[in-house]
């Protein structure tokens, strides 16, 4: 894989201007590496395509919530989409402006809502009447008005992996399209809510622009109906979901094309457009670097055993996801068809199966590509494995922005 930010110079794989092997040798493996420039370029692509249109990019924190990444996003002037009190805490720690935060999620607790109200975040994407009632009561207790958008379920098939498809009627997300107007009307009558708009998010890793645009059409029609009923509506939040190219031949609309298509639909409606991209900002900006421990051959298969595991990157086993795997140093040894597996005691512990990968030897390094989104954030300590460090590359400089966990970290808070 080569992108604008991960490239071979000669036979050596670089992140921006830094050879990844230098990071691997000094920070150890496994290790996540992110390109700051790549993240900023993606944010710029959204912003440039929407220039002149009243809009706000709220980066979906769940995709990669490292403080250094959040600080970059904040400095670039974007807002944040959060789904928990913990994510709010992170954004504030990273210097993010509370006024640029929207709070999504189907199960916000009272404590989380109170925290968000106290921090004066921009607003809440609400998913049920019970949540609206709770938010109204908690806002009343503080004598404030909470800004609200109703998360709508537009009943659009995102045609992505079933675990990350969210916009069908049978999913737990959002308020059914048929019920939205009634809910909006009733919620508008609650004294401590300020109903401002509608939001949706039909799924993630969506490669089909038509599905996304179908949702846009349904949401605009809804906005029109709400207005016709005399209900105030100022913004339209279309969520995230734009897919990225996990394979070299994948055809993906880039953020610029995606944003331009939305712009063409939304322009002229007098609505503030909000987007909540996560993956399309950070996925291609990150790799997981791992070292080959052993080569092993069974009568049926060839295995490359590496020091990264499903605990570091769960996507292959959880979503049957494909991540390209490339050597940090190209050699003349060619390729081999193999499973790339980790040390965890589970058959599901693989990074690739039956894949033609570089014919690497123990001690060699590999990069698992397109791992900047939903990688580290979903890492676990299963098998009592300390979670890996995270490194941020800024041009020719790099620094560890999260230290590798220690054995002491593993038992923090436990009592024998
Ligand atoms: N907004 C809401 C309300 C969401 O639920 C999500 C993602 C996003 C925005 C950002 O979506 P994105 O632009 O990243 O597609 N762990 C899975 C992905 C789960 C996505 C959940 N929601 C994976 O590794 O593929």
């Amino acid at each position: 894989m080569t992108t604008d930010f991960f490239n071979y110079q000669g036979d050596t794989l670089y992140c921006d201007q830094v050879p990844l092997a230098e990071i691997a040798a000094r920070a150890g493996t496994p290790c996540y590496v992110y390109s700051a420039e790549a993240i900023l370029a993606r944010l710029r692509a959204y912003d440039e395509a929407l220039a002149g249109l009243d809009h706000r990019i709220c980066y979906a924190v769940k995709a990669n919530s490292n403080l250094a990444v959040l600080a970059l996003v904040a400095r670039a002037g974007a807002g944040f989409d959060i789904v928990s009190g913990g994510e709010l805490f992170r954004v504030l720690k990273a210097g993010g402006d509370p006024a640029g935060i929207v709070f999504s999620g189907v199960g916000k607790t009272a404590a989380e809502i109170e925290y968000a109200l106290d921090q004066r975040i921009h607003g809440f994407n609400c998913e049920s009447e019970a949540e609206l009632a709770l938010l109204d009561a908690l806002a009343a207790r503080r004598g404030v008005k909470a800004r609200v958008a109703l998360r709508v379920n537009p009943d659009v098939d995102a045609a992505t992996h079933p675990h990350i498809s969210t916009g069908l009627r049978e999913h737990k997300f959002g308020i059914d399209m048929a019920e939205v107007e009634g809910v909006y009307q009733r919620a508008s009558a609650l004294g401590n809510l300020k109903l401002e708009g509608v939001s949706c998010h039909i799924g993630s890793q969506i490669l089909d622009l038509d599905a996304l645009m179908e949702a846009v059409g349904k949401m605009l029609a809804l906005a029109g109906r709400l207005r016709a009923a005399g209900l105030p509506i100022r913004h339209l939040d279309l969520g995230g979901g734009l897919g990225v190219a996990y394979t070299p031949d994948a055809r993906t609309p880039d953020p610029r094309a995606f944003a331009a298509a939305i712009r063409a639909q939304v322009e002229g409606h007098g609505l503030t457009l909000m987007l909540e991209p996560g993956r399309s900002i950070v996925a291609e900006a990150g790799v997981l670097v791992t070292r080959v421990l052993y080569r092993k051959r069974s009568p049926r298969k060839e295995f490359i055993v590496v020091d990264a595991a499903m605990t570091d990157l769960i996507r292959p086993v959880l979503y049957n996801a494909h991540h390209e795997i490339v050597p940090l140093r190209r050699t003349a040894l060619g390729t081999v068809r193999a499973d790339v597996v980790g040390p965890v005691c589970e058959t599901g512990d693989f990074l690739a199966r039956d894949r033609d990968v570089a014919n690497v030897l123990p001690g060699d390094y590999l990069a698992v590509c397109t791992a900047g989104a939903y990688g580290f954030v979903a890492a676990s300590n299963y098998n009592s494995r300390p979670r890996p460090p995270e490194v941020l590359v800024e041009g020719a400089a790099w620094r560890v922005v999260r230290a590798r966990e220690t054995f002491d970290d593993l038992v923090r808070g436990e009592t024998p």
Side-chain angles (χ1 to χ4, degrees):
M1 176 206 78
T2 55
T3 65
D4 290 350
F5 303 98
F6 291 91
N7 259 307
Y8 285 100
Q9 292 182 25
D11 289 321
T12 303
L13 187 61
Y14 277 68
C15 173
D16 290 352
Q17 294 155 50
V18 182
L20 281 168
E22 176 190 318
I23 297 174
R26 303 232 324 256
T29 54
C31 155
Y32 275 96
V33 181
Y34 312 127
S35 157
E37 256 318 305
I39 294 171
L40 294 173
R42 288 314 194 100
L43 282 171
R44 270 197 307 272
Y46 271 104
D47 263 332
E48 283 169 13
L50 297 173
L53 183 76
D54 186 9
H55 76 277
R56 180 135 201 105
I57 303 298
C58 291
Y59 165 67
V61 173
K62 63 168 79 70
N64 184 325
S65 57
N66 183 282
L67 292 186
V69 170
L70 300 182
L72 268 182
V73 171
R75 284 200 298 273
F80 297 91
D81 168 55
I82 59 164
V83 290
S84 70
E87 287 191 351
L88 174 53
F89 179 77
R90 282 182 172 277
V91 171
L92 298 175
K93 274 263 175 216
D97 180 2
I101 300 175
V102 293
F103 194 165
S104 299
V106 68
K108 306 174 189 79
T109 66
E112 288 176 321
I113 293 173
E114 288 177 315
Y115 180 26
L117 285 171
D118 290 343
Q119 295 299 327
R120 305 212 176 277
I121 68 162
H122 175 81
F124 297 79
N125 287 338
C126 291
E127 303 217 11
S128 65
E129 295 214 70
E131 182 195 342
L132 288 161
L134 177 63
L135 178 58
D136 181 57
L138 296 173
R141 214 179 283 168
R142 285 166 172 70
V144 296
K145 276 198 168 222
R147 287 201 205 87
V148 169
L150 287 194
R151 163 100 179 249
V152 177
N153 188 329
D155 196 24
V156 171
D157 186 356
T160 181
H161 190 280
H163 291 181
I164 52 175
S165 175
T166 49
L168 285 178
R169 268 188 124 157
E170 61 262 37
H171 294 143
K172 70 176 176 184
F173 299 100
I175 296 168
D176 197 276
M177 195 53 116
E179 292 167 12
V180 178
E181 284 153 84
V183 176
Y184 206 98
Q185 187 105 48
R186 289 191 289 282
S188 300
L190 296 174
N192 289 85
L193 301 186
K194 190 159 179 256
L195 270 282
E196 290 209 321
V198 283
S199 73
C200 74
H201 171 80
I202 62 167
S204 200
Q205 184 53 16
I206 302 173
L207 299 172
D208 175 9
L209 206 51
D210 291 347
L212 287 161
M213 297 318 291
E214 186 187 338
V216 177
K218 286 190 167 185
M219 295 299 283
L220 278 173
L222 171 65
R225 290 199 299 279
L226 290 169
R227 278 193 173 146
L231 295 165
I233 167 154
R234 286 178 39 199
H235 83 243
L236 182 62
D237 181 339
L238 296 174
L242 183 66
V244 299
Y246 283 103
T247 51
D249 54 344
R251 297 182 62 78
T252 327
D254 78 343
R256 213 174 287 275
F258 172 55
I262 291 179
R263 177 196 190 113
Q265 294 291 311
V266 172
E267 210 150 35
H269 284 83
L271 292 164
T272 302
L273 170 68
M274 314 215 346
L275 295 176
E276 303 168 355
R279 188 190 316 264
S280 56
I281 304 292
V282 288
E284 290 170 328
V287 296
L288 171 62
V289 178
T290 183
R291 189 166 51 91
V292 178
L293 298 175
Y294 304 104
R295 287 288 295 265
K296 172 172 173 170
R297 186 194 296 270
S298 79
R300 293 190 163 219
K301 280 214 166 181
E302 183 78 36
F303 294 98
I304 297 173
V305 184
V306 299
D307 64 0
M310 64 189 287
T311 50
D312 306 302
L313 184 66
I314 189 98
R315 302 195 72 259
V317 61
L318 192 54
Y319 308 111
N320 197 22
H322 177 106
H323 288 262
E324 285 289 294
I325 299 182
V326 298
L328 296 204
R329 186 162 188 79
R330 287 195 290 216
T331 67
L333 293 177
T335 61
V336 58
R337 171 147 300 196
D339 284 14
V340 180
V341 300
V344 165
C345 303
E346 298 253 358
T347 305
D349 182 25
F350 59 87
L351 297 171
R353 273 181 159 168
D354 296 321
R355 184 82 66 78
D356 291 323
V357 279
N359 194 4
V360 280
L361 299 171
D364 289 344
Y365 294 120
L366 292 168
V368 184
C369 301
T370 329
Y374 306 110
F376 181 87
V377 286
S380 79
N381 293 121
Y382 183 44
N383 276 207
S384 284
R385 290 171 52 84
R387 286 180 297 171
E390 295 173 284
V391 164
L392 187 70
V393 174
E394 292 168 293
W398 64 274
R399 62 197 166 98
V400 174
V401 291
R402 189 184 210 275
R404 183 183 305 285
E405 286 181 337
T406 63
F407 289 164
D408 280 327
D409 291 329
L410 290 180
V411 295
R412 180 149 302 127
E414 292 183 30
T415 28

